Amino acid sequence: MTELRRIPASATTAAEPAAPPLVIPSPAAGVAAPKVGFVSLGCPKALVDSEQILTQLRAEGYETAKSYDGADLVIVNTCGFIDAAVQESLDAIGEALAENGKVIVTGCLGAKKDADGADIITKVHPKVLAVTGPHAVAEVMESVHLHLPKPHDPFVDLVPDHGVKLTPKHYAYLKISEGCNHRCSFCIIPSMRGDLVSRPIHEVLQEAENLFKAGVKELLIISQDTSAYGVDVKFRLGFWNGRPVRTHMTQLTEELGKMARQYDAWVRMHYVYPYPHVDQVIPLMGDGHVLPYLDIPMQHAHPDVLKRMKRPASGEKNLDRILAWRKMNPDLTIRSTFIAGFPGETEEEFEYLLDFLREAQIDRLGCFAYSPVEGATANELADPVPESVREERRARVMLLQEEISLKRMQAKVGKTMRVLVDEVGAREAVGRTAADAPEIDGVVHIKRALQPGKAKPQVGQFIDVVITKADAHDLWATVA
């Protein structure tokens, strides 16, 4: 029996962490219904799409299968940003077809065409039942209804208010918008996901409240551009609990902070472009609920490279803002991603990036060697950097970051910190501080207390620990 699994894409976007492992929800006992298998690839935004589809399947009475041969049909949610991710998605579709035979495909690769304008998926796998693009719950369900009908029974087809989640019970992703208005030269996401479409603020806050009520202790806010939330609707005025609230990042963060305080939970902000109004969000990070953590996809520092990338901010402004934010909140953790070896990047421009990193002291950093993406306008730029040079520059960035990270991590030794417990084993528990997003940042290894009567830590629990050791990525601690 071949088990269904989540196959993470080898690389998503340079600014996107991989999504956590897929956990298939258990079906309701005693309910005889068609079973759907699900394979989810790619970033947290794709994971949220998967959760929405699974929620609708559960709401309509379908069950989920843990193996290919136990499924009446399989849905594969694909990633399609770079060549490696495309191939991994095609391989996953091929595996599902070979093991099951009835496959519906959705996700970013479904919206991608080859150089001749032909659909990539059906060209490689003509036997798939249907193909849709990302964020297409209705279209996916239409295909499911066509190939695996199941009448809805309101007496047995139940789904919780917070929907079906693929993350552990104590944290969840909340997507506040779809699409992006930027046209970065290395990126094809707008061609797959479209322009920015912000969710109504009351809808976002209602979902947040449902998740907190269900026991979520960490809410990770995601989108393609969190800072641009509400731009498309001109920051329209909405209402929440009878109060007026604007569809704007600052007002959303403030409301989420109030809610998190009520449930003693965390809110973590991802994909934050360094626009000026982010200055207003930093003061909201002082009470331990809206975490002093910003995931900012900077990609480079040299103004000329950023111009070729068509990025919306300049390197000098980024550095000034980082220094100003750290004055406002010295505990602020900044995570970012960078691209080495972008077309036309000179050694001087690359050295400029290294100088920027030395001064900015980014806490968490990922660096990717530039990889051409079919359909991206960057492919037309002059002076491509040889692959060997791209890889060498990526290695130099990571070597420098190892030094920066080690110094910043060792400064935490001796401090008492609050952590959220993710795992509990026989000898140690594993948790994360406010500086650590799940799956992409470091962890805290917590030595289990052996004293009689000492309570065993629980997954999803906040505990205070004393940091005893650090390396460039992780911390070690004892219970305070």
Side-chain angles (χ1 to χ4, degrees):
M1 180 179 74
T2 304
E3 290 193 356
L4 288 171
R5 65 195 189 282
R6 183 195 157 270
I7 311 170
S10 297
T12 54
T13 69
E16 297 182 357
L22 174 63
V23 179
I24 297 292
S26 300
V31 179
K35 293 186 176 182
V36 178
F38 210 104
V39 178
S40 185
L41 302 111
C43 66
K45 292 181 284 296
L47 185 78
V48 172
D49 288 351
S50 296
E51 291 173 339
Q52 291 171 348
I53 295 168
L54 281 167
T55 295
Q56 188 61 33
L57 286 166
R58 179 65 62 82
E60 295 187 15
Y62 291 89
E63 293 183 359
T64 48
K66 294 184 178 181
S67 65
Y68 287 114
D69 56 5
D72 298 301
L73 178 150
V74 176
I75 298 172
V76 179
N77 189 4
T78 58
C79 178
F81 182 66
I82 62 174
D83 291 344
V86 170
Q87 188 58 53
E88 214 151 25
S89 292
L90 291 173
D91 290 346
I93 296 166
E95 179 182 303
L97 283 169
E99 296 286 344
N100 182 275
K102 296 181 69 175
V103 178
I104 292 172
V105 180
T106 187
C108 288
L109 186 56
K112 195 170 183 180
K113 308 296 181 183
D114 65 14
D116 299 324
D119 180 77
I120 290 177
I121 294 171
T122 54
K123 188 173 181 179
V124 178
H125 297 298
K127 292 184 180 181
V128 297
L129 300 177
V131 177
T132 77
H135 199 57
V137 178
E139 292 89 338
V140 171
M141 292 308 302
E142 283 181 15
S143 298
V144 172
H145 296 154
L146 177 63
H147 297 285
L148 190 63
K150 167 60 174 71
H152 177 62
D153 184 344
F155 295 102
V156 296
D157 300 345
L158 303 177
V159 67
D161 289 339
H162 61 279
V164 175
K165 310 307 288 183
L166 299 178
T167 49
K169 291 182 179 179
H170 62 288
Y171 70 81
Y173 294 98
L174 176 60
K175 184 159 59 172
I176 63 173
S177 63
E178 189 63 57
C180 182
N181 287 342
H182 300 302
R183 294 297 182 265
C184 300
S185 61
F186 56 83
C187 182
I188 59 171
I189 286 176
S191 69
M192 295 186 286
R193 289 186 171 263
D195 289 336
L196 176 72
V197 179
S198 300
R199 294 178 62 191
I201 193 162
H202 71 275
E203 187 179 294
V204 173
L205 293 172
Q206 183 63 65
E207 183 175 349
E209 186 174 67
N210 291 342
L211 289 166
F212 284 135
K213 284 181 177 179
V216 165
K217 286 297 180 181
E218 180 177 8
L219 202 56
L220 299 107
I221 308 306
I222 60 170
S223 65
Q224 294 299 144
D225 181 358
T226 297
S227 302
Y229 178 64
V231 167
D232 56 312
V233 294
K234 298 180 180 179
F235 308 119
R236 178 186 300 150
L237 189 67
F239 289 87
W240 171 247
N241 287 342
R243 295 181 292 104
V245 185
R246 291 208 172 274
T247 311
H248 189 282
M249 178 193 180
T250 306
Q251 280 69 48
L252 174 64
T253 305
E254 186 174 7
E255 292 298 322
L256 289 172
K258 292 176 183 176
M259 202 181 293
R261 192 178 309 120
Q262 179 183 348
Y263 290 93
D264 188 27
W266 283 352
V267 173
R268 189 183 300 275
M269 309 300 289
H270 284 280
Y271 312 112
V272 177
Y273 280 73
Y275 303 149
H277 66 258
V278 177
D279 296 354
Q280 303 164 22
V281 173
I282 306 301
L284 302 175
M285 297 178 168
D287 67 353
H289 294 290
V290 176
L291 297 179
Y293 178 102
L294 289 177
D295 173 10
I296 306 171
M298 297 182 198
Q299 311 301 17
H300 212 279
H302 195 283
D304 292 342
V305 179
L306 290 168
K307 186 176 180 180
R308 292 196 295 274
M309 289 180 169
K310 296 186 178 178
R311 296 295 285 169
S314 71
E316 301 96 325
K317 290 181 180 178
N318 286 347
L319 182 58
D320 290 344
R321 288 203 173 98
I322 288 170
L323 298 176
W325 292 339
R326 285 202 169 124
K327 284 184 179 179
M328 296 166 69
N329 190 329
D331 294 327
L332 180 65
T333 295
I334 295 176
R335 172 179 176 78
S336 191
T337 47
F338 293 84
I339 297 174
F342 190 76
E345 183 189 62
T346 64
E347 181 64 25
E348 181 183 2
E349 290 169 341
F350 177 71
E351 289 288 348
Y352 186 101
L353 170 60
L354 296 180
D355 289 340
F356 171 90
L357 296 178
R358 292 185 184 100
E359 193 163 357
Q361 295 285 295
I362 303 295
D363 300 87
R364 303 292 195 185
L365 184 146
C367 183
F368 298 79
Y370 173 74
S371 175
V373 177
E374 186 175 338
T377 58
N379 299 339
E380 302 167 9
L381 292 174
D383 303 319
V385 178
E387 184 176 0
S388 60
V389 177
R390 285 182 255 153
E391 291 293 342
E392 183 264 342
R393 289 178 180 174
R394 183 200 67 79
R396 287 164 64 189
V397 168
M398 296 313 299
L399 187 63
L400 171 61
Q401 181 57 29
E402 190 90 359
E403 298 174 7
I404 294 170
S405 182
L406 179 61
K407 181 179 177 181
R408 296 187 72 80
M409 293 288 280
Q410 288 181 336
K412 299 178 182 181
V413 174
K415 292 185 177 181
T416 299
M417 306 187 79
R418 193 185 199 206
V419 302
L420 178 60
V421 178
D422 286 333
E423 302 172 25
V424 177
R427 294 182 177 275
E428 73 169 23
V430 177
R432 292 176 291 105
T433 71
D436 307 307
E439 300 296 320
I440 56 173
D441 294 326
V443 297
V444 184
H445 300 275
I446 308 159
K447 185 177 179 180
R448 285 280 307 279
L450 301 177
Q451 301 97 315
K454 192 73 173 180
K456 175 182 177 182
Q458 301 295 314
V459 172
Q461 175 187 5
F462 288 109
I463 61 174
D464 290 331
V465 301
V466 178
I467 307 301
T468 59
K469 176 185 170 184
D471 65 15
H473 307 285
D474 298 331
L475 299 170
W476 283 259
T478 56
V479 179

